[in-house]
Amino acid sequence: MSTDLPIPETRVLAIASHVVYGYVGNTMAAFVLQSLGCEVAALNTVHFSNSVPYGRLEGTTATAKDILEIYDGLKQSYLTDFDVLLSGFTPGAEAVEAVGAIGRDLKLKSLTKPGSFFWGWFNKTAFSNHYAHSTLVLDPVMGDQGELYVDENVVPAYKKLMRDADLLIPNQFELEKLTDHPITTPAALSTAISKLHTSHQIPHILVTSVTFSPSSPTLSIIGSTHRPTDRSARLFSITIPSLNCFFSGTGDMFAALLIARMREATVAAGLDKTASWVSPDHVQAVELPLAKAAEKVLASMHMVLKKTKEARDKELEGMKREDESEERRKARETKAAEVRLVRNLRDLKEPEDLFHAEPLML
């Protein structure tokens, strides 16, 4: 295996949004995955000119029928031999159900080959407002910081799909919506994760942007892979510094990196032919492939976003214009904060050893 491509050969179907300018949705995820050696088939749920924070955008939205027709086209041409499904932003309850039908179809095909297919649900906005205020992966993409930004009918649609996912990556607010319980303490978070393991039979859970104090200079990532015998949680946490900046697309970046690094860690542990890539009971929380993958992912994220912020600050320095409209100012600042991805590929491929998982005992 080439040292330039540390990730085993992996075929990913990525169902998420697409923008012409910038890096969010599949525009971000496909680039990251391909940079690490994964083959990506991108099925776009929207096709927009740019991301929402610019204030204005133009484009089109795929219907549930559109999504299923494209997938049917892949089936007709025998092009559905995917190892991982990455599902992200999906516009509306019917479209969420369509993605669910695709995930279930792919899982059904893999029943005779344990470990051959992995479906994750990632959270597109995992770091959007906290990691710098900012998975295969089923993405709730419902809201953050106490606010929904999808229709209420999307929430029950996501709840129906949870049981089918191998990995769920909600942020703290989305976890509250999915479990119908407020999460204001570490104990409440632990209870919610345990409930998802046992009641919904979700093997892997990674909760992002966890904080119990708005003024905290750090954020936590809380994860767990259940024990196969009794589905009990194996909790770990990783603490990262916040960056005082808003970035778009970081949740998509997180999910794409996690898919690649989870695949890498799973193969290294000899679990790639094990159902849902679940480690035996004796494996401790900090030694789980999910924990090892998250350590590398967060290091890459921190390195790239720190450099992005430095470039953003330099670009905006001295550019304040008294006669500039609020709309123009917002667009200029959003453009300056676009993630500097292409110039920092080394940080994606060779992250420094910055963060380490710790067991979470409650």
Side-chain angles (χ1 to χ4, degrees):
M1 187 187 307
S2 170
T3 55
D4 292 332
L5 299 174
I7 312 304
E9 185 172 347
T10 304
R11 294 176 297 278
V12 180
L13 173 60
I15 305 179
S17 59
H18 171 82
V19 295
V20 173
Y21 189 93
Y23 290 97
V24 301
N26 271 342
T27 317
M28 169 69 83
F31 182 88
V32 170
L33 286 164
Q34 289 167 340
S35 297
L36 293 175
C38 298
E39 297 288 348
V40 182
L43 200 169
N44 300 324
T45 57
V46 303
H47 186 76
F48 289 160
S49 55
N50 48 266
S51 61
V52 173
Y54 280 92
R56 289 191 178 188
L57 57 81
E58 298 292 342
T60 57
T61 300
T63 64
K65 182 173 180 288
D66 294 332
I67 293 169
L68 290 174
E69 283 182 349
I70 292 174
Y71 179 69
D72 285 341
L74 293 174
K75 289 181 67 175
Q76 291 165 20
S77 298
Y78 308 100
L79 299 174
T80 57
D81 56 337
F82 299 109
D83 302 300
V84 175
L85 170 61
L86 166 65
S87 55
F89 176 75
T90 311
E94 290 186 358
V96 170
E97 291 168 359
V99 174
I102 293 171
R104 285 188 290 271
D105 184 64
L106 290 171
K107 290 199 79 168
L108 183 63
K109 290 174 54 180
S110 70
L111 288 180
T112 59
K113 298 179 180 180
S116 64
F117 176 71
F118 192 78
W119 180 8
W121 192 2
F122 79 89
N123 171 22
K124 176 177 177 290
T125 58
F127 294 94
S128 59
N129 296 320
H130 280 297
Y131 192 75
H133 192 336
S134 162
T135 262
L136 198 264
V137 186
L138 186 56
D139 179 358
V141 189
M142 298 186 297
D144 200 1
Q145 300 179 65
E147 294 185 11
L148 278 175
Y149 43 73
V150 296
D151 292 336
E152 285 283 352
N153 66 354
V154 171
V155 178
Y158 276 126
K159 287 182 178 180
K160 290 179 181 178
L161 292 188
M162 286 196 299
R163 185 180 293 269
D164 295 310
D166 295 297
L167 170 61
L168 179 69
I169 311 182
N171 59 34
Q172 187 173 346
F173 169 68
E174 288 165 339
L175 185 61
E176 291 182 333
K177 300 298 291 185
L178 292 172
T179 59
D180 297 315
H181 289 289
I183 299 172
T184 56
T185 65
L189 179 61
S190 174
T191 299
I193 290 175
S194 295
K195 178 180 178 180
L196 292 175
H197 278 326
T198 56
S199 300
H200 298 279
Q201 300 177 23
I202 302 171
H204 310 277
I205 299 164
L206 195 63
V207 186
T208 63
S209 299
V210 176
T211 181
F212 300 107
S213 172
S215 60
S216 174
T218 63
L219 289 170
S220 293
I221 305 298
I222 309 294
S224 172
T225 295
H226 74 208
R227 291 181 177 86
T229 56
D230 60 5
R231 297 196 176 94
S232 60
R234 286 177 280 190
L235 292 164
F236 65 86
S237 68
I238 305 175
T239 300
I240 57 176
S242 296
L243 297 174
N244 186 24
C245 182
F246 178 91
F247 306 111
S248 295
T250 47
D252 305 295
M253 181 183 177
F254 181 89
L257 284 167
L258 187 60
I259 282 179
R261 295 304 181 183
M262 183 76 170
R263 177 78 161 163
E264 177 187 39
T266 295
V267 170
L271 296 170
D272 53 311
K273 292 180 173 57
T274 302
S276 299
W277 303 348
V278 175
S279 302
D281 284 4
H282 70 268
V283 178
Q284 299 300 306
V286 297
E287 298 300 324
L288 293 167
L290 182 61
K292 294 300 182 184
E295 290 173 347
K296 286 190 175 183
V297 170
L298 293 171
S300 287
M301 295 280 297
H302 182 75
M303 293 165 70
V304 172
L305 294 183
K306 183 178 179 181
K307 292 175 182 177
T308 296
K309 185 180 184 302
E310 291 169 354
R312 167 198 175 272
D313 292 347
K314 184 176 181 180
E315 182 175 331
L316 292 177
E317 187 177 355
M319 289 183 62
K320 185 175 180 180
R321 303 165 188 171
E322 297 298 332
D323 60 344
E324 186 177 44
S325 68
E326 177 64 19
E327 180 183 67
R328 180 69 183 88
R329 182 197 61 78
K330 182 178 181 180
R332 180 168 55 82
E333 292 181 353
T334 302
K335 181 175 181 291
E338 288 282 3
V339 178
R340 265 58 168 189
L341 203 60
V342 177
R343 294 282 182 171
N344 295 300
L345 280 180
R346 180 175 296 238
D347 296 332
L348 299 182
K349 295 181 178 181
E350 303 171 13
E352 296 176 7
D353 186 17
L354 298 179
F355 308 115
H356 298 98
E358 297 181 354
L360 185 61
M361 311 296 274
L362 296 173

